[in-house]
Amino acid sequence: MKNKEIRKYWENPSTESMYDKNLLEIEINSILELLNENDRVVDLGCGEGEGTVKYHEKVKRLIAVDFSISRLEKLRQKNSNIKSFQMDIRDISCERFHERFTKVITQRSLINLESFEEQKEVIKRIHSLLEDEGKYIMLEGFVGGTGKTNEIRKDFNLSSIEIKWHNLFFEKDELLEYTSKYFDLELSRDFSLYFFITRVFNAIINYPEIPKWDNAVNVLAKEMENKYKNSFIKGVSRLELLVFRKK
């Protein structure tokens, strides 16, 4: 089963959930803006906790969940005071936590499931974890932006950036059709400006070399993405941030 290989991949201590630290900073700051001091939060699929430790500092209460022992150990090395559970996110339930929450976060975690059916089941369980009108903060991968980026790269004789073997990106229309049963969509944001500059423009001017994530242009792209949110560039973001309110 693919799930076994995914588990093995994430138990490897050398694996990092995001090598592009500029993009990771954009993700974390975008989520932080949606949290407040009264929130009680579950971070599902917290990984090594690069975002988790910052979310924990801002909210009233946070619980971190991940199936990987090695990921949770990395989290504990960053902050041993964060309450964490080793648990498959497919098994989450109110009974496991004995409470409901104001917000649930998934940050590139549902894309590690094996099928859309599994992803839908976890989304339904997230709905049950939330208190009335609680919010689900979803930052996940989408095929639409991935495909558009590769179309542009192809026009300039650049190779495609493939979706990693262990990831299953969402079809946005398909996702929204399903989530409409349980949630109202409150906010949608992508990071197209950053992806266009780093995965298209910078790739073109550096060809045939592949620019490193901390290349000066990429750092500038991070600053521009943070400043010009929802910019005039659209549709080329592999990742999207969606905020759902529980019905």
Side-chain angles (χ1 to χ4, degrees), residues 188-238:
S188 176
R189 178 188 170 189
D190 70 16
F191 311 103
S192 286
L193 180 60
Y194 181 79
F195 275 97
F196 181 81
I197 294 173
T198 61
R199 273 51 168 183
V200 178
F201 176 75
N202 206 17
I204 293 169
I205 63 176
N206 279 280
Y207 183 82
E209 299 296 323
I210 300 175
K212 296 181 178 179
W213 70 265
D214 56 354
N215 171 284
V217 173
N218 288 357
V219 174
L220 176 61
K222 175 191 70 175
E223 296 173 1
M224 293 179 70
E225 177 63 53
N226 286 329
K227 186 173 183 179
Y228 302 109
K229 299 169 187 173
N230 292 317
S231 73
F232 53 91
I233 296 176
K234 298 291 184 183
V236 292
S237 180
R238 291 168 66 89

Side-chain angles (χ1 to χ4, degrees), residues 2 19 69 71 87 92 96 102 122 147 159 204 209 231:
K2 185 178 177 182
Y19 292 90
I69 296 172
R71 299 299 102 187
M87 186 189 308
I92 57 169
R96 300 293 292 270
T102 60
V122 173
S159 61
I204 293 169
E209 299 296 323
S231 73

Side-chain angles (χ1 to χ4, degrees), residues 32-230:
L32 279 171
E33 291 176 357
L34 301 168
L35 303 176
N36 64 64
E37 62 184 10
N38 294 316
D39 276 327
R40 291 169 283 105
V41 178
V42 180
D43 188 1
L44 289 179
C46 64
E48 52 264 47
E50 289 165 301
T52 313
V53 294
K54 295 184 180 296
Y55 311 147
H56 177 261
E57 291 172 357
K58 187 169 183 179
V59 302
K60 181 177 182 179
R61 173 171 162 75
L62 182 141
I63 294 175
V65 175
D66 206 282
F67 69 81
S68 169
I69 296 172
S70 70
R71 299 299 102 187
L72 291 174
E73 179 56 33
K74 288 175 180 285
L75 168 63
R76 292 178 188 122
Q77 289 171 5
K78 294 180 177 71
N79 187 331
S80 60
N81 294 319
I82 296 175
K83 186 174 183 179
S84 61
F85 288 85
Q86 184 194 358
M87 186 189 308
D88 191 316
I89 63 172
R90 293 172 297 178
D91 297 329
I92 57 169
S93 67
C94 293
E95 290 72 27
R96 300 293 292 270
F97 300 122
H98 307 292
E99 63 178 309
R100 284 188 168 85
F101 302 88
T102 60
K103 293 189 173 94
V104 173
I105 298 168
T106 66
Q107 187 174 352
R108 289 176 286 102
S109 54
L110 268 59
I111 57 173
N112 288 288
L113 296 174
E114 191 170 359
S115 68
F116 185 46
E117 292 305 311
E118 288 188 347
Q119 291 169 332
K120 288 192 294 185
E121 177 60 27
V122 173
I123 290 169
K124 186 164 74 171
R125 287 172 176 259
I126 288 170
H127 179 268
S128 70
L129 285 182
L130 288 165
E131 63 181 30
D132 291 346
E133 297 192 345
K135 294 184 181 182
Y136 169 29
I137 300 171
M138 178 189 204
L139 199 157
E140 300 285 350
F142 289 83
V143 297
T146 303
K148 185 61 177 177
T149 298
N150 286 333
E151 288 176 17
I152 300 172
R153 286 175 62 91
K154 184 178 180 181
D155 289 340
F156 291 91
N157 298 313
L158 296 171
S159 61
S160 294
I161 302 175
E162 302 298 334
I163 297 173
K164 292 183 178 180
W165 67 268
H166 56 88
N167 286 160
L168 178 65
F169 280 18
F170 286 92
E171 294 275 1
K172 190 171 181 180
D173 290 344
E174 186 178 49
L175 171 69
L176 293 180
E177 181 180 2
Y178 178 74
T179 55
S180 65
K181 302 175 185 178
Y182 304 100
F183 297 96
D184 291 318
L185 179 64
E186 280 202 339
L187 179 148
S188 176
R189 178 188 170 189
D190 70 16
F191 311 103
S192 286
L193 180 60
Y194 181 79
F195 275 97
F196 181 81
I197 294 173
T198 61
R199 273 51 168 183
V200 178
F201 176 75
N202 206 17
I204 293 169
I205 63 176
N206 279 280
Y207 183 82
E209 299 296 323
I210 300 175
K212 296 181 178 179
W213 70 265
D214 56 354
N215 171 284
V217 173
N218 288 357
V219 174
L220 176 61
K222 175 191 70 175
E223 296 173 1
M224 293 179 70
E225 177 63 53
N226 286 329
K227 186 173 183 179
Y228 302 109
K229 299 169 187 173
N230 292 317

